Amino acid sequence: MNASDHPRRDELATFLRSRRERLTPEDVGLPAGRRRRTPGLRREEVAQLAAIGVTWYTWLEQARDIQVSAEVLDAIARTLRLDRSERTHLFRLAGSIDPTPANSYSPVTAAIRLMLTQLEPFPASLQNGRLDVLAYNRAFGRLFCDLDRIPAEDRNMILLAFTNEQTRATMVDLEATLRVMAAKFRASMTAGLGDPAWKALLNRLQTESAEFRELWERHEVMTPTTATKHYDHPEIGELRLLATNLWQQPNADSAHLVVYAPADEATAAKLPSLIREPIPAG
């Protein structure tokens, strides 16, 4: 921002204060502590939760003329629990490009949605290089957790594997699975170096998961392959699935179809249960 952006900086500062003041410590998992003079969270609490400097965040609320990265804005948006409209407003006021805009969950054509439906009871989804789940059928939506209840911006397979307890509980060999996922993520990220969306996801994984931070420091890499996945679903039991990636373009960062076919007759017999009502719990 520059001097001509002063009104926008003022609006950004006012907006941040209003979003901060509507939250309570209990809303974000902090102890209430002693009685507070002012409503909402303190600036230092927002900074702590967003993993940014207190001074830096204070300057934002003081309408200082500073440059703010997309990663910092993303962390603030998540900490303040902004909805899609509020998040868009925040990035526009800051004059920055949202690394996870609403249109990033495209392209999903009617033909792709029909294909996903026709693949049932095989779990199938459309994912991009970052493993964001762009679209999925009912079987996939119930394989790891109740995906319908996960906010669209959080539907990312590596994020779910490291932070979602329901997803983690389905993975029979969790330690080995996480190691492979981190290695594949590092290899895939080569195509997205410098991309704000990749950097925002990496920052979030490092912030929210000590397991990921430890694995990331190993610098292991692995390319995507067809492999047998072993899961233990809470409702229908053990599943052995062959995961196949079908790329739309000859580019590892492009959208691709992920299909899970049964690896044995027992799994084939259980898969139809994924699309029967009801399955999701909690």
Side-chain angles (χ1 to χ4, degrees):
M1 294 186 187
N2 52 49
S4 63
D5 291 323
H6 195 276
R8 191 163 63 175
R9 295 201 306 270
D10 286 340
E11 178 61 27
L12 174 61
T14 301
F15 179 67
L16 287 174
R17 285 195 297 271
S18 71
R19 299 305 87 183
R20 171 172 61 83
E21 290 173 355
R22 72 177 177 177
L23 293 174
T24 66
E26 293 88 344
D27 289 334
V28 295
L30 294 176
R34 293 176 294 178
R35 187 168 182 173
R36 299 178 174 226
R37 298 178 185 176
T38 57
L41 298 175
R42 298 188 177 100
R43 287 173 176 171
E44 57 267 29
E45 291 170 334
V46 174
Q48 175 189 347
L49 292 167
I52 61 176
V54 177
T55 300
W56 198 253
Y57 180 77
T58 300
W59 284 350
L60 277 176
E61 285 203 6
Q62 292 176 343
R64 299 282 190 96
D65 185 9
I66 59 174
Q67 295 295 323
V68 188
S69 69
E71 291 84 359
V72 167
L73 292 171
D74 177 73
I76 291 173
R78 295 183 188 281
T79 298
L80 296 179
R81 301 193 173 186
L82 303 188
D83 62 23
R84 174 55 60 184
S85 296
E86 292 169 334
R87 182 185 175 95
T88 299
H89 187 60
L90 171 68
F91 277 84
R92 285 177 178 171
L93 288 174
S96 183
I97 298 175
D98 189 346
T100 57
N103 62 10
S104 68
Y105 302 104
S106 298
V108 181
T109 65
I112 289 175
R113 293 192 183 279
L114 178 61
M115 184 187 306
L116 291 173
T117 300
Q118 292 299 314
L119 284 168
E120 291 178 348
F122 290 8
S125 68
L126 186 71
Q127 301 178 23
N128 62 17
R130 294 187 303 276
L131 303 185
D132 294 323
V133 180
L134 312 179
Y136 56 93
N137 60 17
R138 289 178 298 169
F140 188 89
R142 296 175 175 185
L143 179 59
F144 308 101
C145 60
D146 185 358
L147 205 55
D148 289 342
R149 295 190 180 185
I150 303 294
E153 59 269 23
D154 294 338
R155 292 175 192 160
N156 175 280
M157 292 312 301
I158 190 167
L159 182 65
L160 291 173
F162 278 95
T163 66
N164 182 273
E165 291 305 319
Q166 281 186 305
T167 301
R168 292 164 63 85
T170 66
M171 297 176 177
V172 173
D173 192 345
L174 180 62
E175 183 177 350
T177 299
L178 295 182
R179 182 176 179 180
V180 168
M181 291 189 78
K184 288 182 177 180
F185 182 76
R186 181 177 284 279
S188 297
M189 191 172 176
T190 302
L193 289 176
D195 186 323
W198 279 94
K199 291 194 291 185
L201 176 57
L202 176 60
N203 178 68
R204 188 174 180 192
L205 286 163
Q206 292 176 318
T207 300
E208 298 184 18
S209 173
E211 288 174 293
F212 180 84
R213 290 196 301 273
E214 191 278 326
L215 289 170
W216 192 249
E217 290 301 316
R218 298 184 185 184
H219 291 266
E220 295 176 335
V221 293
M222 184 179 297
T223 55
T225 57
T226 298
T228 301
K229 309 289 187 178
H230 190 189
Y231 302 112
D232 186 9
H233 192 278
E235 298 292 332
I236 60 178
E238 184 180 21
L239 298 170
R240 292 185 179 274
L241 298 163
L242 292 168
T244 300
N245 296 299
L246 304 173
W247 302 91
Q248 287 187 312
Q249 301 174 16
N251 178 353
D253 196 37
S254 67
H256 58 284
L257 196 66
V258 182
V259 182
Y260 290 86
D264 53 43
E265 293 183 2
T267 297
K270 293 175 183 177
L271 286 182
S273 297
L274 285 174
I275 59 175
R276 293 180 190 145
E277 300 288 349
I279 279 270

